[in-house]
């Protein structure tokens, strides 16, 4: 065996040992339930003889979720509502949505829109929270760069925040399909889903992604959508209700207790607002 082969074997061994250390789960050690980032509703559970209210998560730190709907179905408005609730659950727009942000940062990447439309979307958070210091809200429009560069920049920016000693809470990637060249490329789709899962673990954050649904179907687009379904913590479906002229928000799948359906509408000022008891039939 050559010296180069010995070195490669040693490097591989060290890499495998690092995975062994990082991924070993001690079944005798108590591991806390992932802390909630955003919730809707509570579960009342009997615990040691006492009834305790537990928030029903929409998303938890250390996991990822995805939002699906047909094109032009107000997905970005829901992202704004979710982001605003994370910023300030006490605003009039958040309704019964609750968050547990503390001092964590919110990072928002848009991959589809140009600068003007992206800024209008980002500024909704400011308009919904006019008296809040939003220095922890980081916004980027990545349409002008290629899909590989988008992925690399997301990784770079999250790492830069970590190096500055900032805790990352919620990361929005709107939309995840623009991080691959082809949503039906199985290898690419698997790689990007694995990358998202890895980032949630590294930064103990929640990543919320957005993807289109196939027309006339509840299935998200392509192999990428299928892999997201398999790996996600929470799959959220949006649907426009022609009777109430609001958008219903439904939990399709969850690793936790499913949250009840709720709705939001758009105010005259063009802002998304939680609608209480406006559930789809």
């Amino acid at each position: 065996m050559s010296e180069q082969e010995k070195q490669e074997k040693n490097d591989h061994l060290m890499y495998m040992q690092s995975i062994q250390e990082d991924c070993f789960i001690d079944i005798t050690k108590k591991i806390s339930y992932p802390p909630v980032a955003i919730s809707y509703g509570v579960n009342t559970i009997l615990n040691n003889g006492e009834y305790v209210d537990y928030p029903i998560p929409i998303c938890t730190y250390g996991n990822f979720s995805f939002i699906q709907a047909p094109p032009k179905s107000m997905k970005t408005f829901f992202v704004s509502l979710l982001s605003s609730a994370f910023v300030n659950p006490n605003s009039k727009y958040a309704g019964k949505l609750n968050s547990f942000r503390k001092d964590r940062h919110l990072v928002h990447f848009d991959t589809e829109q140009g600068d003007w439309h992206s800024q209008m979307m980002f500024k909704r958070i400011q308009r919904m929270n006019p008296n809040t210091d939003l220095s922890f809200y980081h916004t980027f429009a990545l349409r002008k760069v290629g899909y590989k560069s988008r992925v690399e920049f997301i990784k770079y920016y999250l790492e830069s925040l970590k190096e500055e000693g900032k805790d990352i809470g919620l990361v929005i990637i709107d939309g995840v399909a623009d991080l691959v060249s082809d949503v039906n490329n199985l290898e690419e789709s698997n790689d990007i889903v694995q990358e998202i899962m890895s980032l949630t673990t590294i930064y103990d954050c929640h990543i919320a992604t957005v993807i289109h649904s196939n027309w006339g179907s509840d299935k998200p687009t392509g192999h990428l959508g299928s892999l997201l379904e398999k790996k996600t913590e929470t799959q959220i479906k949006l649907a426009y209700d022609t009777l109430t002229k609001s958008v219903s928000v439904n939990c399709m799948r969850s690793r936790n207790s499913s949250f009840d359906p709720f709705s939001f509408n758009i105010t005259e000022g063009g802002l998304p607002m939680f609608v209480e008891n406006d559930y789809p039939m």
Side-chain angles (χ1 to χ4, degrees):
M1 183 182 295
S2 68
E3 289 300 320
Q4 181 178 351
E5 288 173 331
K6 289 180 181 178
Q7 184 62 49
E8 290 176 351
K9 182 178 180 180
N10 186 58
D11 290 344
H12 178 72
L13 177 61
M14 292 179 65
Y15 179 55
M16 289 297 104
Q17 289 174 340
S18 70
I19 293 177
Q20 178 180 334
E21 293 175 5
D22 288 342
C23 298
F24 174 70
I25 298 295
D26 183 354
I27 62 173
T28 66
K29 179 182 177 182
K30 182 178 179 180
I31 299 178
S32 299
Y33 185 81
V36 176
I38 303 175
S39 68
Y40 172 58
V42 295
N43 267 338
T44 302
I45 299 174
L46 185 63
N47 187 3
N48 295 326
E50 295 184 358
Y51 287 98
V52 181
D53 288 340
Y54 290 94
I56 300 174
I58 293 178
C59 48
T60 63
Y61 296 121
N63 285 297
F64 84 93
S65 61
F66 76 95
I67 302 153
Q68 66 173 84
K72 312 305 179 196
S73 297
M74 300 191 185
K75 294 185 294 297
T76 60
F77 281 96
F78 178 65
V79 166
S80 295
L81 178 62
L82 209 61
S83 299
S84 180
F86 183 70
V87 167
N88 177 21
N90 297 316
S91 77
K92 66 179 182 179
Y93 298 96
K96 291 186 176 180
L97 298 175
N98 197 13
S99 81
F100 305 83
R101 185 181 71 83
K102 297 184 178 179
D103 294 325
R104 292 182 182 236
H105 287 243
L106 168 59
V107 190
H108 195 160
F109 302 101
D110 183 83
T111 64
E112 295 184 349
Q113 303 182 103
D115 291 354
W116 188 87
H117 286 97
S118 293
Q119 187 191 60
M120 291 294 291
M121 176 182 62
F122 298 144
K123 287 181 72 172
R124 284 189 204 128
I125 310 305
Q126 183 181 59
R127 293 172 60 203
M128 295 166 78
N129 301 278
N131 299 315
T132 303
D133 176 8
L134 293 178
S135 57
F136 60 86
Y137 181 39
H138 310 259
T139 56
F140 298 93
L142 301 182
R143 189 175 76 167
K144 61 185 65 136
V145 298
Y147 71 94
K148 291 182 179 179
S149 296
R150 292 175 189 137
V151 177
E152 290 305 310
F153 178 76
I154 290 170
K155 293 164 61 178
Y156 155 79
Y157 193 75
L158 297 183
E159 180 60 25
S160 69
L161 289 179
K162 181 180 179 181
E163 290 177 351
E164 293 172 8
K166 297 173 180 175
D167 291 330
I168 302 167
L170 178 62
V171 178
I172 303 289
I173 303 176
D174 185 3
V176 67
D178 294 317
L179 303 186
V180 296
S181 66
D182 180 3
V183 295
N184 285 309
N185 184 306
L186 188 57
E187 182 177 358
E188 276 192 280
S189 298
N190 186 66
D191 286 347
I192 197 60
V193 172
Q194 185 59 51
E195 190 75 73
I196 289 170
M197 291 192 296
S198 177
L199 292 174
T200 61
T201 301
I202 292 170
Y203 300 108
D204 189 31
C205 65
H206 187 89
I207 296 181
T209 64
V210 180
I211 191 169
H212 291 159
S213 295
N214 293 320
W215 282 109
S217 169
D218 285 337
K219 296 291 291 181
T221 304
H223 286 312
L224 177 58
S226 297
L227 287 168
L228 289 171
E229 282 187 315
K230 293 176 182 178
K231 303 297 185 180
T232 191
E233 176 186 36
T234 311
Q235 179 180 355
I236 301 168
K237 176 191 172 186
L238 306 183
Y240 183 72
D241 190 318
T242 56
L243 294 177
T244 63
K245 300 194 182 302
S246 60
V247 180
S248 64
V249 181
N250 298 273
C251 182
M252 296 284 289
R253 292 176 178 83
S254 179
R255 297 188 189 276
N256 313 297
S257 297
S258 297
F259 61 84
D260 288 334
F262 63 92
S263 300
F264 69 93
N265 60 21
I266 308 303
T267 68
E268 290 184 0
L271 299 176
M273 177 176 282
F274 178 96
V275 180
E276 188 173 7
N277 297 327
D278 189 12
Y279 306 130
M281 300 299 291

